[in-house]
Amino acid sequence: MSKQSQNPFKWRHFEADIILLCVRWYLRYALSYRDLEEMMLERGLSVDHTTIYRWVLHYAPEIEKRWRPYLNATTDSWKVDETYIKVKKVWLYLYRAVDSEGSTLEFLLSPTRDAEAAKHFFCKALHVTASSSPQACPVEEQVSQPTALVDPNITTLTPRVINVDKNAAYPKAIADLKAAGALPEHVELRQVKYLNNLIEQDHRFIQPFPSG
């Protein structure tokens, strides 16, 4: 296969740097597509907001897939929380885990907020797939989202402590994972609300997923 055919920006009217800049700014900051259209115009580029929308849909999954192998936990203290967001006009629960420095470790979209959803999320965060640990993670219907399953060959630092809110589903999920051998017995679960202020505050900057 030629290098040209492998170029993900082939046939694009704009340079790759411009496309990636718009996609990165949309994903990182609380900007709308029209905000980015205006910002590009101020820089001498006329880009319609619908074009930027298509760039995000096309390139965001590829960006996520390429940087994920380099995403590693920097501390052994996890902060886990869930919030309710709209994805393509459907309300879903977004589970997220960050380390004590605020770096995102993993996320999962789920139609439910219960122990099974929590177990599914923890398995994903721990890089345990449903096929390799069926007892810990029963196969659930996958929610369409712009992310690929984590490569099970990539290792993540096992948490020393997992901080969560008062959601009753978390203790059951952790107990089931320990019983199945998917999580070491020494991992401590803390249900202290103020310890999760970091991730709860960070939820304010989450962008809604674009609709098709």
Side-chain angles (χ1 to χ4, degrees):
M1 185 179 293
S2 66
K3 289 184 178 180
Q4 187 177 21
S5 62
Q6 292 177 327
N7 180 9
F9 301 97
K10 184 180 179 181
W11 310 121
R12 295 293 181 182
H13 179 71
F14 292 90
E15 293 292 329
D17 289 348
I18 300 299
I19 296 173
L20 291 175
L21 182 66
C22 288
V23 174
R24 177 182 176 274
W25 281 358
Y26 178 80
L27 297 175
R28 176 61 182 86
Y29 304 106
L31 298 171
S32 69
Y33 296 115
R34 292 186 184 276
D35 288 336
L36 286 169
E37 178 182 3
E38 182 178 342
M39 292 169 68
M40 291 299 105
L41 188 60
E42 290 175 350
R43 289 160 174 78
L45 292 171
S46 179
V47 186
D48 191 80
H49 64 278
T50 58
T51 298
I52 299 174
Y53 160 79
R54 288 193 293 269
W55 289 347
V56 171
L57 287 184
H58 185 82
Y59 291 106
E62 183 65 22
I63 291 172
E64 195 274 344
K65 182 174 68 175
R66 294 195 182 198
W67 63 245
R68 179 158 296 283
Y70 303 97
L71 183 64
N72 295 306
T74 55
T75 70
D76 58 3
S77 176
W78 290 13
K79 301 179 187 301
V80 176
D81 195 25
E82 74 284 337
T83 189
Y84 209 38
I85 66 170
K86 184 177 286 188
V87 181
K88 295 184 178 180
K89 301 181 180 180
V90 177
W91 285 99
L92 296 170
Y93 291 98
L94 171 64
Y95 285 82
R96 292 178 65 224
V98 303
D99 64 17
S100 60
E101 296 181 3
S103 299
T104 298
L105 303 174
E106 189 54 271
F107 73 92
L108 174 73
L109 289 171
S110 172
T112 59
R113 180 177 179 258
D114 54 21
E116 287 302 315
K119 280 195 294 183
H120 189 179
F121 170 71
F122 282 124
C123 284
K124 196 166 185 287
L126 292 164
H127 300 176
V128 179
T129 64
S131 59
S132 63
S133 183
Q135 286 183 304
C137 294
V139 178
E140 303 168 16
E141 181 178 355
Q142 294 294 312
V143 178
S144 177
Q145 56 179 304
T147 182
L149 287 177
V150 178
D151 185 344
N153 294 319
I154 301 171
T155 58
T156 297
L157 181 66
T158 300
R160 171 183 54 84
V161 59
I162 300 176
N163 300 293
V164 298
D165 58 21
K166 295 293 186 178
N167 185 349
Y170 287 124
K172 184 179 188 312
I174 293 297
D176 288 349
L177 289 172
K178 288 183 177 181
L183 190 68
E185 286 291 338
H186 66 78
V187 177
E188 179 185 359
L189 179 69
R190 292 179 182 169
Q191 287 191 287
V192 181
K193 186 174 178 59
Y194 76 87
L195 293 176
N196 262 13
N197 286 345
L198 178 66
I199 188 171
E200 290 178 357
Q201 291 296 316
D202 194 53
H203 281 326
R204 296 177 302 168
F205 303 103
I206 294 175
Q207 286 275 25
F209 285 73
S211 58

